[in-house]
Amino acid sequence: MFGTAPDPAPSAGGPAVVYLCPDDGAASTDLYTAWCERRAAADGWILTEVITDPDEFTPLGQRTGWQRITRLLADGAAAAVITGNRRMIADTPAAWTSVVDLLAEHGAALTTVTGTPLHAP
């Protein structure tokens, strides 16, 4: 499906943000948030913000929440992004490549609630 780079586990300890764009509505946001908070704690990340977008059909670059993520990465205010699952950030291989490239540019990690490192800096 999508290419991954899960070799080393992301190094934790820095600031992390949760990014959610659940396709099953706002009711699941609280559940995903709790799972991501637990993942951050288990991995030693310092969770600084939970950012959500309401519409999975809006292109990633046009989502206000994702725009906030990119600003935090550019400012060095986030060393990791934790998400519920990869579909929340990419629905095609090209979109996935763009996300991985962005994270690599900023030396940031990407992981899911299951702890699967999707990109390690």
Side-chain angles (χ1 to χ4, degrees):
M1 185 180 212
F2 298 119
T4 61
D7 294 330
S11 57
V17 294
V18 168
Y19 177 74
L20 301 172
C21 187
D23 59 1
D24 45 359
S28 65
T29 299
D30 289 343
L31 183 58
Y32 278 119
T33 298
W35 288 340
C36 290
E37 288 171 343
R38 279 185 263 176
R39 173 54 43 211
D43 290 347
W45 294 105
I46 301 163
L47 188 58
T48 59
E49 195 168 342
V50 175
I51 300 169
T52 61
D53 274 315
D55 184 7
E56 67 176 315
F57 297 110
T58 300
L60 188 63
Q62 295 175 18
R63 298 179 193 172
T64 57
W66 188 255
Q67 291 169 359
R68 171 101 178 113
I69 295 283
T70 59
R71 284 191 305 274
L72 291 169
L73 291 169
D75 293 344
V81 177
I82 303 168
T83 190
N85 60 61
R86 63 178 27 195
R87 286 187 333 263
M88 291 187 183
I89 58 170
D91 60 353
T92 67
W96 181 253
T97 299
S98 294
V99 168
V100 169
D101 289 348
L102 173 71
L103 292 165
E105 178 182 325
H106 297 291
L110 173 64
T111 192
T112 65
V113 296
T114 62
T116 303
L118 301 177
H119 172 74

